Amino acid sequence: MLQPGSLSYIAGPVIAIVVMVLLVLFMRWAFGGSSTGGMRRGRPAPSDDGLLTRVATLSRRESALALRAVLSDAGIRSTIRFPEAHRADVLVFPEDAARARELAASFPAA
């Protein structure tokens, strides 16, 4: 049985605290920023389009929205990404890329 003056009476809580501190330090290392050796957070690299294909890069938001409307009228699903100021990328799925590029080439603002 634990006695108030015994070594195991103090060792239990001390071990629990040490384990908790080690868990916190490990979690900070594992899920912290890239400078601490952990996983990288934040936005993907600008060239990473994921499953989509870039069909046009425009300098005005309005032009990108107009091209997206033209693509939508043609039955092509698309999205717009704004990687920088005064730059808009129009992205489509790879199976629609050829048709979308044809429409983008004939688009006056492209």
Side-chain angles (χ1 to χ4, degrees):
M1 194 124 172
L2 296 177
Q3 301 289 329
S6 71
L7 180 63
S8 61
Y9 186 77
I10 296 172
V14 169
I15 291 172
I17 291 171
V18 168
V19 168
M20 292 300 290
V21 167
L22 289 174
L23 279 172
V24 167
L25 291 174
F26 173 75
M27 297 298 273
R28 287 193 63 171
W29 173 79
F31 298 108
S34 60
S35 64
T36 60
M39 293 185 285
R40 184 176 160 252
R41 284 192 236 169
R43 299 176 63 178
S47 63
D48 182 20
D49 296 334
L51 296 176
L52 301 175
T53 301
R54 187 175 341 148
V55 293
T57 300
L58 303 157
S59 59
R60 297 182 55 221
R61 176 184 177 94
E62 295 79 17
S63 299
L65 291 171
L67 176 58
R68 187 165 184 230
V70 168
L71 294 174
S72 178
D73 289 344
I76 299 173
R77 294 178 297 165
S78 64
T79 189
I80 302 172
R81 177 182 62 187
F82 301 98
E84 300 170 5
H86 305 292
R87 181 175 164 204
D89 294 336
V90 180
L91 306 156
V92 299
F93 286 100
E95 59 268 13
D96 296 326
R99 275 188 30 211
R101 283 193 180 100
E102 289 175 13
L103 289 170
S106 65
F107 189 69

